[in-house]
Amino acid sequence: MSVSVDDIDRQAGKQFFGHPRGLSTLFMTEMWERLSYYGMRAILILYMTAELEKGGLGWDTRSAAAIYGLYTSSVWFLPLIGGWIADRFIGAKRATLVGGIIITLGHFLLAFPPIPFFYAGLIFVSVGTGFLKSNISKMVGDLYKKDDERRDAGFSIFYMGINTGALLAPFVCGTLAAYNWHWGFAAAGVGMLFGVIQYIFGMKKLQGVGEAPVPQAASREETPRESSAYNIQMIVLAVVSVIAIILLSPVIASLFPSLVGKEDKFVNIGFSLDVSVAINYVLMPVVLIAGLIAVLLTGLQDKLSRDDWKRIGIIFVLFLFATVFWMGYEQAGSSLNLFAEQMTNRQITAALEFKTAWFQSVSPFYIVVFAPIFAWIWIAMGKRQPSDEIKFVIGLILTGIGYVILAYAASSLSGGKASLWWLVVVYLFHTWGELCISPVGLSTMTKLAPGKMVSLMLGVWFLSISMGSYAGGLVAGNFEPNELTLVGLFGKVAGVLIGSGLLLLALTPLIRKLYSNAPDAVPVEPA
């Protein structure tokens, strides 16, 4: 009889607030990793656009935004690859450690001024996050049995760790960057180093979690179908790699300015290429298609059962609605930030102004406050809690209500500026929506994904964030600082979010039917 990590913890009398004690290790690791990520992200574009005499790179906004967009999208889609590698070869526990070390090196590379260190640092952080992000979430799921009612609550607690780091990051790295940009990058490296050290010492709490897959005995020869699926995977990987190299060629060229006679600028190698256009209209669609093909081919190679495909079908339905949610939520750094900067009265007193950047800590603050409350609610409700898809419905509608409030605030400007309290309320609704979708989505991926594909399917979840961020960026491009445009923009976003929630509600009976037909499904009473 197999013994779960939770059984071991109960026998030892050691738990973490009623959860497996391994959650404490993963909580702290993710907290430090997110502190390093959001700390570096908060100053990245500011560093690129700052004048040379102020220690920055002196780039124009368009070039800096292209690099920023490529970096952030890479951070969210590389977990798809990192998850596949962990599932097939090294296991989630080892992949998380490798990822943490690579991220640490990346941040410290950014602490050095030369341009090659800058690009290398971004690459290291992106690749390291690819190894860490989906695999650490997989291990949180591994701490619980499939039908454990504490699973969603555990992910809510884990999610609180994410946002604790996000809350502290702007104050730690941003304050140091005000004195020297590279001190801010170094602070991010120190934070990740703390995360790696505590992860190493806490790995003893993760016995039996995230281990490398055990190779199956070669009891039969590979069938032509398996060989064909593997070959197709390799072809797809090669094509995507070539496209990525083409799109990244301006960056590669800028690493070797002596070859082209220019420094610190985007340059072309024999052809003209607009990086921002490539990212928006070529790279992201290719990444989406390649990711979906990778899941399909991996499933064919693993000879998944019909019920496995049903669960993957549920995952992709939720993937689509999660993408819509992230389209609205991730505008916090774009259209909502522009609204805060240009259309909001941030003067608290004659001597105190609420800085625009501080709004980025409002949502993490709310999550730290409300994540334990939501976790308690799910546990208290037990089997009576809403099903996963109903939680998604609630999250989409709450986020949509946030945009309704924002549209109303924009309609009442009358040539003036809105009170900062409008945004504070908007972020409250968006946070409630996030707590109904993001930690629940992570939990759902670990429940529904076939055993050999858990990390890969968590990579699919993070791909929804990448796609949603991409779509949100396109929407935010329509931002104009006038009342009529903003009411229309925020009203349309609200309509898409609320309409998507109602559509998912209509699809709920079909999703529940797929749940009931799949083995090991978690029984959930009607909401």
Side-chain angles (χ1 to χ4, degrees):
M1 182 179 67
S2 61
V3 180
S4 69
V5 173
D6 190 45
D7 292 332
I8 295 173
D9 287 344
R10 287 184 185 279
Q11 294 166 10
K14 297 178 180 178
Q15 288 198 330
F16 179 66
F17 295 104
H19 291 264
R21 61 178 184 155
L23 183 61
S24 64
T25 296
L26 302 177
F27 175 98
M28 294 299 296
T29 303
E30 185 73 352
M31 185 197 76
W32 284 113
E33 187 274 329
R34 289 291 88 182
L35 186 147
S36 70
Y37 170 73
Y38 284 107
M40 186 273 272
R41 195 185 75 163
I43 62 176
L44 179 59
I45 200 166
L46 301 177
Y47 168 65
M48 288 188 285
T49 55
E51 294 87 348
L52 292 173
E53 56 270 21
K54 294 183 179 179
L57 297 180
W59 290 354
D60 61 86
T61 302
R62 187 181 183 188
S63 298
I67 282 289
Y68 179 84
L70 179 60
Y71 164 71
T72 53
S73 61
S74 298
V75 162
W76 289 117
F77 73 69
L78 284 176
L80 190 71
I81 300 174
W84 183 84
I85 292 173
D87 281 338
R88 300 286 146 176
F89 304 108
I90 64 177
K93 185 188 296 183
R94 188 177 301 170
T96 298
L97 177 59
V98 169
I101 293 172
I102 295 175
I103 292 171
T104 303
L105 293 174
H107 286 306
F108 283 125
L109 283 171
L110 288 167
F112 294 94
I115 285 294
F117 285 90
F118 174 76
Y119 288 120
L122 293 182
I123 293 171
F124 270 59
V125 174
S126 298
V127 172
T129 305
F131 276 102
L132 184 144
K133 195 63 184 160
S134 61
N135 290 303
I136 194 171
S137 298
K138 175 190 183 296
M139 287 192 288
V140 175
D142 286 347
L143 295 173
Y144 303 91
K145 295 179 180 179
K146 292 282 186 180
D147 58 350
D148 195 326
E149 296 173 1
R150 301 172 301 163
R151 176 184 286 264
D152 285 1
F155 271 97
S156 293
I157 293 173
F158 175 71
Y159 207 67
M160 187 172 66
I162 294 175
N163 286 277
T164 300
L167 173 63
L168 298 174
F171 299 104
V172 175
C173 298
T175 300
L176 289 172
Y179 295 96
N180 186 296
W181 293 108
H182 300 286
W183 291 2
F185 292 128
V190 171
M192 190 65 245
L193 180 61
F194 285 156
V196 170
I197 292 172
Q198 76 83 33
Y199 179 73
I200 292 173
F201 282 102
M203 287 178 72
K204 61 181 179 292
K205 302 176 184 178
L206 299 170
Q207 294 179 4
V209 173
E211 303 295 346
V214 178
Q216 295 181 351
S219 57
R220 58 179 177 79
E221 295 183 358
E222 187 182 60
T223 65
R225 181 180 178 183
E226 289 174 318
S227 177
S228 175
Y230 178 79
N231 291 336
I232 294 174
Q233 282 181 313
M234 294 302 103
I235 292 172
V236 171
L237 179 62
V239 171
V240 173
S241 299
V242 170
I243 293 174
I245 290 172
I246 293 173
L247 294 173
L248 289 172
S249 59
V251 177
I252 296 171
S254 64
L255 294 176
F256 304 98
S258 60
L259 296 178
V260 292
K262 295 182 180 181
E263 295 185 0
D264 299 351
K265 296 289 182 181
F266 288 110
V267 291
N268 297 322
I269 306 178
F271 60 90
S272 175
L273 178 65
D274 187 312
V275 179
S276 62
V277 171
I279 292 172
N280 286 336
Y281 301 106
V282 180
L283 178 60
M284 297 311 297
V286 166
V287 167
L288 174 61
I289 294 171
L292 300 182
I293 291 176
V295 172
L296 174 63
L297 295 178
T298 301
L300 291 174
Q301 190 176 18
D302 288 348
K303 294 185 176 298
L304 298 182
S305 67
R306 183 178 181 181
D307 290 319
D308 288 333
W309 284 114
K310 287 180 180 179
R311 291 202 295 264
I312 289 179
I314 297 172
I315 286 175
F316 278 110
V317 170
L318 297 180
F319 168 88
L320 294 175
F321 287 98
T323 299
V324 175
F325 165 76
W326 292 115
M327 175 276 298
Y329 185 85
E330 285 297 324
Q331 289 188 59
S334 53
S335 62
L336 270 66
N337 221 19
L338 292 172
F339 187 86
E341 174 68 23
Q342 302 177 22
M343 314 297 291
T344 301
N345 178 11
R346 292 175 282 106
Q347 206 69 37
I348 299 176
T349 66
L352 178 61
E353 181 186 58
F354 195 91
K355 304 298 183 184
T356 300
W358 294 355
F359 279 105
Q360 300 306 303
S361 291
V362 173
S363 186
F365 170 77
Y366 280 145
I367 288 176
V368 170
V369 172
F370 285 102
I373 297 175
F374 274 70
W376 175 82
I377 290 173
W378 302 145
I379 290 178
M381 295 183 70
K383 294 184 180 298
R384 293 173 297 141
Q385 65 181 283
S387 60
D388 294 338
E389 64 273 12
I390 293 299
K391 291 176 184 176
F392 269 58
V393 170
I394 296 171
L396 286 164
I397 292 177
L398 285 172
T399 309
I401 292 173
Y403 275 99
V404 171
I405 294 172
L406 197 57
Y408 178 80
S411 70
S412 61
L413 291 175
S414 301
K417 291 190 174 183
S419 167
L420 62 85
W421 296 108
W422 285 114
L423 277 176
V424 171
V425 174
V426 168
Y427 279 120
L428 178 62
F429 276 88
H430 285 191
T431 298
W432 288 342
E434 183 183 10
L435 286 170
C436 288
I437 290 183
S438 191
V440 174
L442 289 171
S443 175
T444 303
M445 297 302 109
T446 64
K447 285 189 290 188
L448 294 177
K452 294 181 179 180
M453 298 175 63
V454 177
S455 291
L456 177 64
M457 298 314 294
L458 281 166
V460 170
W461 172 256
F462 292 119
L463 184 61
S464 75
I465 304 177
S466 180
M467 293 299 108
S469 300
Y470 156 70
L474 296 180
V475 172
N478 297 309
F479 182 95
E480 292 181 10
N482 68 75
E483 179 181 333
L484 184 61
T485 300
L486 292 179
V487 172
L489 176 64
F490 296 142
K492 290 176 182 177
V493 174
V496 170
L497 287 163
I498 296 175
S500 297
L502 296 176
L503 175 60
L504 180 56
L505 181 63
L507 294 175
T508 295
L510 175 61
I511 296 174
R512 285 180 176 170
K513 185 177 180 180
L514 291 175
Y515 263 120
S516 63
N517 291 336
D520 298 325
V522 179
V524 178
E525 295 183 4

